[in-house]
Each structure stands twice: as structure tokens, then as C-alpha cells.
Short mmCIF file of all heavy atoms in Angstrom, two decimals:
data_model
loop_
_atom_site.label_atom_id
_atom_site.label_comp_id
_atom_site.label_asym_id
_atom_site.label_seq_id
_atom_site.Cartn_x
_atom_site.Cartn_y
_atom_site.Cartn_z
N ASP S 1 19.74 -26.22 -5.20
CA ASP S 1 20.84 -25.24 -4.81
C ASP S 1 20.61 -23.92 -5.59
O ASP S 1 20.45 -23.94 -6.77
CB ASP S 1 22.15 -25.92 -5.14
CG ASP S 1 23.32 -25.23 -4.39
OD1 ASP S 1 23.06 -24.44 -3.48
OD2 ASP S 1 24.42 -25.56 -4.76
N GLU S 2 20.60 -22.88 -4.82
CA GLU S 2 20.40 -21.51 -5.43
C GLU S 2 19.15 -21.47 -6.27
O GLU S 2 19.22 -21.30 -7.47
CB GLU S 2 21.61 -21.07 -6.17
CG GLU S 2 22.87 -20.89 -5.31
CD GLU S 2 23.98 -20.24 -6.00
OE1 GLU S 2 23.82 -19.50 -7.04
OE2 GLU S 2 25.19 -20.39 -5.58
N ILE S 3 17.99 -21.61 -5.64
CA ILE S 3 16.74 -21.68 -6.39
C ILE S 3 16.45 -20.38 -7.11
O ILE S 3 15.70 -20.39 -8.07
CB ILE S 3 15.57 -21.98 -5.35
CG1 ILE S 3 14.31 -22.48 -6.16
CG2 ILE S 3 15.33 -20.86 -4.42
CD1 ILE S 3 13.24 -23.08 -5.26
N ASP S 4 17.03 -19.31 -6.67
CA ASP S 4 16.83 -17.99 -7.34
C ASP S 4 17.73 -17.78 -8.56
O ASP S 4 17.66 -16.74 -9.25
CB ASP S 4 17.15 -16.83 -6.36
CG ASP S 4 18.52 -17.00 -5.70
OD1 ASP S 4 18.75 -17.99 -5.02
OD2 ASP S 4 19.38 -16.13 -5.89
N LEU S 5 18.55 -18.79 -8.91
CA LEU S 5 19.54 -18.62 -10.01
C LEU S 5 18.92 -18.15 -11.29
O LEU S 5 18.01 -18.84 -11.81
CB LEU S 5 20.33 -19.90 -10.21
CG LEU S 5 21.52 -19.89 -11.07
CD1 LEU S 5 22.64 -19.02 -10.40
CD2 LEU S 5 22.09 -21.27 -11.32
N HIS S 6 19.45 -17.12 -11.88
CA HIS S 6 18.98 -16.55 -13.22
C HIS S 6 17.56 -16.00 -13.20
O HIS S 6 17.03 -15.68 -14.27
CB HIS S 6 19.09 -17.60 -14.30
CG HIS S 6 20.50 -18.10 -14.54
ND1 HIS S 6 21.56 -17.29 -14.71
CD2 HIS S 6 20.97 -19.41 -14.66
CE1 HIS S 6 22.68 -18.04 -14.84
NE2 HIS S 6 22.34 -19.32 -14.81
N LEU S 7 16.89 -15.98 -12.06
CA LEU S 7 15.48 -15.48 -12.01
C LEU S 7 15.38 -13.99 -11.81
O LEU S 7 16.05 -13.42 -10.95
CB LEU S 7 14.70 -16.26 -11.00
CG LEU S 7 14.65 -17.78 -11.02
CD1 LEU S 7 13.72 -18.33 -10.03
CD2 LEU S 7 14.24 -18.19 -12.43
N HIS S 8 14.47 -13.39 -12.58
CA HIS S 8 14.11 -11.96 -12.38
C HIS S 8 13.59 -11.79 -10.95
O HIS S 8 12.95 -12.67 -10.40
CB HIS S 8 13.08 -11.58 -13.41
CG HIS S 8 12.63 -10.18 -13.41
ND1 HIS S 8 11.70 -9.69 -12.51
CD2 HIS S 8 13.06 -9.11 -14.16
CE1 HIS S 8 11.53 -8.34 -12.70
NE2 HIS S 8 12.39 -8.01 -13.66
N PRO S 9 13.78 -10.59 -10.35
CA PRO S 9 13.30 -10.35 -8.97
C PRO S 9 11.86 -10.62 -8.82
O PRO S 9 11.38 -11.26 -7.71
CB PRO S 9 13.64 -8.87 -8.76
CG PRO S 9 14.79 -8.59 -9.57
CD PRO S 9 14.65 -9.50 -10.78
N LYS S 10 10.96 -10.34 -9.72
CA LYS S 10 9.56 -10.62 -9.64
C LYS S 10 9.27 -12.13 -9.55
O LYS S 10 8.46 -12.64 -8.83
CB LYS S 10 8.74 -10.06 -10.80
CG LYS S 10 7.26 -10.13 -10.71
CD LYS S 10 6.55 -9.43 -11.81
CE LYS S 10 5.07 -9.41 -11.69
NZ LYS S 10 4.46 -10.78 -11.73
N TRP S 11 10.05 -12.91 -10.36
CA TRP S 11 9.95 -14.37 -10.37
C TRP S 11 10.45 -14.94 -9.06
O TRP S 11 9.87 -15.86 -8.50
CB TRP S 11 10.68 -14.89 -11.52
CG TRP S 11 10.19 -16.22 -12.10
CD1 TRP S 11 9.24 -17.02 -11.52
CD2 TRP S 11 10.66 -16.88 -13.27
NE1 TRP S 11 9.04 -18.09 -12.31
CE2 TRP S 11 9.88 -18.09 -13.40
CE3 TRP S 11 11.58 -16.60 -14.23
CZ2 TRP S 11 10.10 -18.95 -14.41
CZ3 TRP S 11 11.81 -17.47 -15.31
CH2 TRP S 11 10.99 -18.65 -15.36
N GLN S 12 11.55 -14.37 -8.53
CA GLN S 12 11.99 -14.82 -7.24
C GLN S 12 10.96 -14.70 -6.13
O GLN S 12 10.86 -15.49 -5.24
CB GLN S 12 13.25 -14.01 -6.84
CG GLN S 12 14.50 -14.19 -7.72
CD GLN S 12 15.66 -13.35 -7.31
OE1 GLN S 12 15.82 -12.94 -6.17
NE2 GLN S 12 16.50 -12.99 -8.23
N ARG S 13 10.21 -13.62 -6.23
CA ARG S 13 9.21 -13.36 -5.20
C ARG S 13 8.05 -14.32 -5.31
O ARG S 13 7.29 -14.51 -4.31
CB ARG S 13 8.73 -11.89 -5.33
CG ARG S 13 7.69 -11.48 -4.27
CD ARG S 13 7.45 -9.99 -4.40
NE ARG S 13 8.46 -9.24 -3.64
CZ ARG S 13 8.75 -7.97 -3.89
NH1 ARG S 13 8.15 -7.32 -4.82
NH2 ARG S 13 9.66 -7.39 -3.11
N GLU S 14 7.83 -14.91 -6.47
CA GLU S 14 6.64 -15.77 -6.68
C GLU S 14 6.92 -17.25 -6.75
O GLU S 14 6.05 -18.10 -6.73
CB GLU S 14 5.94 -15.31 -8.01
CG GLU S 14 5.44 -13.90 -7.98
CD GLU S 14 5.03 -13.37 -9.37
OE1 GLU S 14 5.50 -13.98 -10.38
OE2 GLU S 14 4.28 -12.40 -9.46
N ILE S 15 8.23 -17.60 -6.79
CA ILE S 15 8.60 -18.96 -7.06
C ILE S 15 8.07 -19.95 -6.02
O ILE S 15 7.66 -21.06 -6.26
CB ILE S 15 10.16 -19.15 -7.23
CG1 ILE S 15 10.51 -20.50 -7.69
CG2 ILE S 15 10.89 -18.73 -5.98
CD1 ILE S 15 10.10 -20.84 -9.06
N ILE S 16 8.12 -19.52 -4.69
CA ILE S 16 7.67 -20.48 -3.64
C ILE S 16 6.22 -20.71 -3.70
O ILE S 16 5.81 -21.93 -3.63
CB ILE S 16 8.10 -19.89 -2.28
CG1 ILE S 16 9.57 -20.06 -1.97
CG2 ILE S 16 7.20 -20.50 -1.13
CD1 ILE S 16 9.98 -19.67 -0.58
N SER S 17 5.39 -19.74 -3.93
CA SER S 17 3.94 -19.93 -3.95
C SER S 17 3.62 -20.85 -5.21
O SER S 17 2.72 -21.72 -5.07
CB SER S 17 3.22 -18.66 -4.01
OG SER S 17 3.49 -17.94 -5.20
N TYR S 18 4.21 -20.65 -6.37
CA TYR S 18 3.90 -21.36 -7.53
C TYR S 18 4.28 -22.86 -7.39
O TYR S 18 3.51 -23.76 -7.77
CB TYR S 18 4.63 -20.77 -8.77
CG TYR S 18 4.09 -19.46 -9.21
CD1 TYR S 18 4.85 -18.57 -10.02
CD2 TYR S 18 2.78 -19.02 -8.87
CE1 TYR S 18 4.39 -17.33 -10.39
CE2 TYR S 18 2.34 -17.74 -9.25
CZ TYR S 18 3.04 -16.95 -10.00
OH TYR S 18 2.63 -15.69 -10.38
N LEU S 19 5.52 -23.08 -6.85
CA LEU S 19 5.93 -24.50 -6.62
C LEU S 19 5.08 -25.19 -5.56
O LEU S 19 4.84 -26.39 -5.67
CB LEU S 19 7.43 -24.52 -6.32
CG LEU S 19 8.37 -24.21 -7.43
CD1 LEU S 19 9.84 -24.14 -6.95
CD2 LEU S 19 8.31 -25.21 -8.55
N SER S 20 4.70 -24.47 -4.54
CA SER S 20 3.86 -25.02 -3.48
C SER S 20 2.51 -25.50 -4.06
O SER S 20 2.03 -26.59 -3.70
CB SER S 20 3.61 -24.02 -2.38
OG SER S 20 4.76 -23.64 -1.78
N GLU S 21 2.03 -24.78 -4.97
CA GLU S 21 0.73 -25.11 -5.61
C GLU S 21 0.86 -26.25 -6.62
O GLU S 21 0.05 -27.18 -6.62
CB GLU S 21 0.17 -23.92 -6.34
CG GLU S 21 -1.20 -24.13 -7.01
CD GLU S 21 -1.72 -22.94 -7.74
OE1 GLU S 21 -1.09 -21.86 -7.64
OE2 GLU S 21 -2.73 -23.11 -8.45
N ALA S 22 2.02 -26.25 -7.32
CA ALA S 22 2.24 -27.33 -8.31
C ALA S 22 2.58 -28.68 -7.71
O ALA S 22 2.15 -29.76 -8.19
CB ALA S 22 3.28 -26.92 -9.30
N PHE S 23 3.32 -28.63 -6.59
CA PHE S 23 3.81 -29.87 -5.92
C PHE S 23 3.39 -29.79 -4.44
O PHE S 23 4.27 -29.61 -3.57
CB PHE S 23 5.31 -30.00 -6.08
CG PHE S 23 5.82 -29.97 -7.55
CD1 PHE S 23 6.25 -28.82 -8.15
CD2 PHE S 23 5.81 -31.17 -8.25
CE1 PHE S 23 6.63 -28.83 -9.40
CE2 PHE S 23 6.21 -31.20 -9.61
CZ PHE S 23 6.67 -30.03 -10.19
N PRO S 24 2.10 -29.99 -4.16
CA PRO S 24 1.64 -29.72 -2.79
C PRO S 24 2.20 -30.64 -1.71
O PRO S 24 2.19 -30.29 -0.52
CB PRO S 24 0.15 -29.89 -2.91
CG PRO S 24 -0.04 -30.79 -4.12
CD PRO S 24 1.09 -30.42 -5.06
N ASN S 25 2.67 -31.79 -2.06
CA ASN S 25 3.17 -32.71 -1.08
C ASN S 25 4.68 -33.01 -1.10
O ASN S 25 5.17 -33.90 -0.49
CB ASN S 25 2.46 -34.09 -1.24
CG ASN S 25 1.02 -34.01 -0.95
OD1 ASN S 25 0.61 -33.50 0.10
ND2 ASN S 25 0.15 -34.43 -1.90
N VAL S 26 5.32 -32.06 -1.79
CA VAL S 26 6.85 -32.15 -1.81
C VAL S 26 7.41 -31.30 -0.68
O VAL S 26 6.96 -30.29 -0.38
CB VAL S 26 7.34 -31.66 -3.16
CG1 VAL S 26 8.82 -31.28 -3.15
CG2 VAL S 26 7.12 -32.63 -4.24
N GLN S 27 8.42 -31.92 -0.06
CA GLN S 27 9.21 -31.17 0.94
C GLN S 27 10.42 -30.58 0.22
O GLN S 27 11.31 -31.24 -0.23
CB GLN S 27 9.72 -32.11 2.06
CG GLN S 27 10.61 -31.47 3.11
CD GLN S 27 11.11 -32.43 4.12
OE1 GLN S 27 11.01 -33.66 4.00
NE2 GLN S 27 11.81 -31.91 5.15
N PHE S 28 10.41 -29.25 0.09
CA PHE S 28 11.44 -28.50 -0.58
C PHE S 28 12.53 -28.07 0.43
O PHE S 28 12.20 -27.46 1.44
CB PHE S 28 10.92 -27.27 -1.30
CG PHE S 28 10.15 -27.55 -2.55
CD1 PHE S 28 8.73 -27.62 -2.55
CD2 PHE S 28 10.80 -27.76 -3.72
CE1 PHE S 28 8.02 -27.91 -3.71
CE2 PHE S 28 10.06 -28.08 -4.92
CZ PHE S 28 8.73 -28.10 -4.88
N ILE S 29 13.72 -28.39 0.12
CA ILE S 29 14.93 -27.96 0.97
C ILE S 29 15.83 -27.28 0.02
O ILE S 29 16.42 -27.86 -0.90
CB ILE S 29 15.58 -29.17 1.67
CG1 ILE S 29 14.60 -29.87 2.56
CG2 ILE S 29 16.74 -28.66 2.47
CD1 ILE S 29 15.11 -31.18 3.12
N VAL S 30 16.04 -25.96 0.18
CA VAL S 30 16.71 -25.17 -0.89
C VAL S 30 17.67 -24.15 -0.25
O VAL S 30 17.60 -23.86 0.95
CB VAL S 30 15.68 -24.36 -1.75
CG1 VAL S 30 14.64 -25.28 -2.34
CG2 VAL S 30 15.02 -23.24 -0.94
N THR S 31 18.59 -23.71 -1.06
CA THR S 31 19.51 -22.58 -0.68
C THR S 31 19.22 -21.39 -1.51
O THR S 31 18.65 -21.53 -2.64
CB THR S 31 20.97 -22.99 -0.83
OG1 THR S 31 21.30 -22.99 -2.20
CG2 THR S 31 21.28 -24.35 -0.23
N THR S 32 19.55 -20.23 -1.01
CA THR S 32 19.29 -18.97 -1.76
C THR S 32 20.26 -17.91 -1.22
O THR S 32 20.71 -17.91 -0.10
CB THR S 32 17.87 -18.58 -1.70
OG1 THR S 32 17.65 -17.46 -2.57
CG2 THR S 32 17.47 -18.13 -0.31
N HIS S 33 20.44 -16.87 -2.07
CA HIS S 33 21.03 -15.62 -1.60
C HIS S 33 20.05 -14.47 -1.71
O HIS S 33 20.36 -13.32 -1.43
CB HIS S 33 22.24 -15.25 -2.50
CG HIS S 33 23.41 -16.14 -2.42
ND1 HIS S 33 23.77 -17.09 -3.36
CD2 HIS S 33 24.22 -16.34 -1.40
CE1 HIS S 33 24.80 -17.77 -2.96
NE2 HIS S 33 25.14 -17.35 -1.79
N SER S 34 18.76 -14.83 -2.05
CA SER S 34 17.80 -13.76 -2.34
C SER S 34 16.89 -13.49 -1.14
O SER S 34 16.12 -14.30 -0.70
CB SER S 34 16.94 -14.22 -3.54
OG SER S 34 15.87 -13.35 -3.76
N PRO S 35 16.85 -12.17 -0.73
CA PRO S 35 15.87 -11.80 0.33
C PRO S 35 14.51 -11.88 -0.19
O PRO S 35 13.51 -12.02 0.60
CB PRO S 35 16.26 -10.39 0.65
CG PRO S 35 17.06 -9.89 -0.59
CD PRO S 35 17.72 -11.06 -1.12
N LEU S 36 14.31 -11.72 -1.56
CA LEU S 36 12.93 -11.82 -2.10
C LEU S 36 12.29 -13.22 -1.92
O LEU S 36 11.14 -13.32 -1.76
CB LEU S 36 12.93 -11.48 -3.59
CG LEU S 36 13.35 -10.02 -3.85
CD1 LEU S 36 13.53 -9.84 -5.38
CD2 LEU S 36 12.31 -9.03 -3.38
N VAL S 37 13.11 -14.25 -2.02
CA VAL S 37 12.56 -15.60 -1.81
C VAL S 37 12.16 -15.79 -0.32
O VAL S 37 11.10 -16.30 -0.01
CB VAL S 37 13.72 -16.63 -2.10
CG1 VAL S 37 13.29 -18.07 -1.61
CG2 VAL S 37 14.03 -16.66 -3.59
N VAL S 38 12.98 -15.23 0.59
CA VAL S 38 12.60 -15.24 2.01
C VAL S 38 11.34 -14.49 2.25
O VAL S 38 10.42 -14.87 3.00
CB VAL S 38 13.75 -14.68 2.87
CG1 VAL S 38 13.37 -14.59 4.35
CG2 VAL S 38 14.96 -15.53 2.70
N GLN S 39 11.24 -13.32 1.66
CA GLN S 39 10.07 -12.37 1.84
C GLN S 39 8.76 -13.03 1.34
O GLN S 39 7.69 -12.70 1.80
CB GLN S 39 10.36 -11.06 1.18
CG GLN S 39 9.30 -9.96 1.39
CD GLN S 39 9.55 -8.85 0.46
OE1 GLN S 39 9.57 -8.97 -0.81
NE2 GLN S 39 9.63 -7.60 0.98
N SER S 40 8.83 -13.85 0.32
CA SER S 40 7.63 -14.34 -0.32
C SER S 40 6.88 -15.46 0.38
O SER S 40 5.67 -15.60 0.05
CB SER S 40 8.07 -14.87 -1.77
OG SER S 40 8.83 -16.05 -1.64
N ALA S 41 7.47 -16.15 1.32
CA ALA S 41 6.83 -17.26 1.91
C ALA S 41 5.99 -16.90 3.13
O ALA S 41 6.42 -16.14 3.98
CB ALA S 41 7.88 -18.31 2.32
N ASN S 42 4.79 -17.50 3.24
CA ASN S 42 3.96 -17.30 4.40
C ASN S 42 4.46 -18.09 5.60
O ASN S 42 4.20 -17.78 6.73
CB ASN S 42 2.50 -17.61 4.08
CG ASN S 42 1.88 -16.67 3.11
OD1 ASN S 42 2.18 -15.41 3.12
ND2 ASN S 42 1.09 -17.09 2.17
#
């Protein structure tokens, strides 16, 4: 819930790619208010 909570904007932009690499077979289901999180995913 609110994966962007307390994160700096630069960190918000990178969080999806870092977690995807660290946990490649996890299905992440998250909420956010951050457009940077949305922008960061391919």
C-alpha cells in the first residue's frame, strides 16, 4: 500500500526496476499516488 511512501522522487522513479530485478518471479500488486512510479515502468 502506497509503495511511494516517504521516498524521494528519484527513488520513486527507480523503485519498480530495482524490485523487478531483485524479485524476478514476484507478482507485485501495489497502490500509489505518484506519477513517477507510473512513468518508470516499461
Side-chain angles (χ1 to χ4, degrees):
D1 199 11
E2 296 190 22
I3 194 168
D4 53 299
L5 190 67
H6 299 310
L7 300 187
H8 182 277
K10 186 175 185 295
W11 208 352
Q12 292 178 27
R13 182 172 276 157
E14 297 168 341
I15 188 69
I16 282 184
S17 63
Y18 291 159
L19 288 174
S20 299
E21 182 181 353
F23 304 96
N25 294 309
V26 162
Q27 178 184 7
F28 286 98
I29 302 173
V30 307
T31 72
T32 187
H33 292 108
S34 171
L36 294 172
V37 171
V38 175
Q39 186 191 54
S40 68
N42 292 323

